[in-house]
Amino acid sequence: MVPTVTFLNSRSIATQRNDLLARAHMSLDELREKGETFQLDPEEQSILRALDELDFLEGDD
């Protein structure tokens, strides 16, 4: 397996965030609320994890 590096700028991070939220059919707040009560299905968990990773890359805590 060969490691891959992807460089993301603010615009591509925003695009990926919008795409992920569209896949989830809910807002980030709704995803987080469902996550706090353990009501996310595996796909939604994956989306929330990816959104959290994008926030980290962008410098949001």
Side-chain angles (χ1 to χ4, degrees):
M1 184 179 284
V2 177
T4 302
V5 176
T6 303
F7 293 96
L8 300 172
N9 60 25
S10 294
R11 181 180 297 160
S12 60
I13 288 173
T15 300
Q16 284 191 22
R17 284 176 54 83
N18 290 335
D19 292 346
L20 288 165
L21 290 170
R23 272 182 39 206
H25 303 289
M26 64 183 87
S27 71
L28 180 57
D29 289 336
E30 291 171 309
L31 272 173
R32 289 210 167 116
E33 284 178 22
K34 282 183 74 174
E36 289 174 3
T37 57
F38 305 100
Q39 296 179 358
L40 293 174
D41 65 32
E43 176 69 12
E44 292 167 341
Q45 288 175 347
S46 174
I47 290 169
L48 182 56
R49 189 173 310 114
L51 289 166
D52 287 340
E53 290 170 357
L54 289 173
D55 284 348
F56 175 79
L57 290 174
E58 198 166 39
D60 295 341
D61 292 331

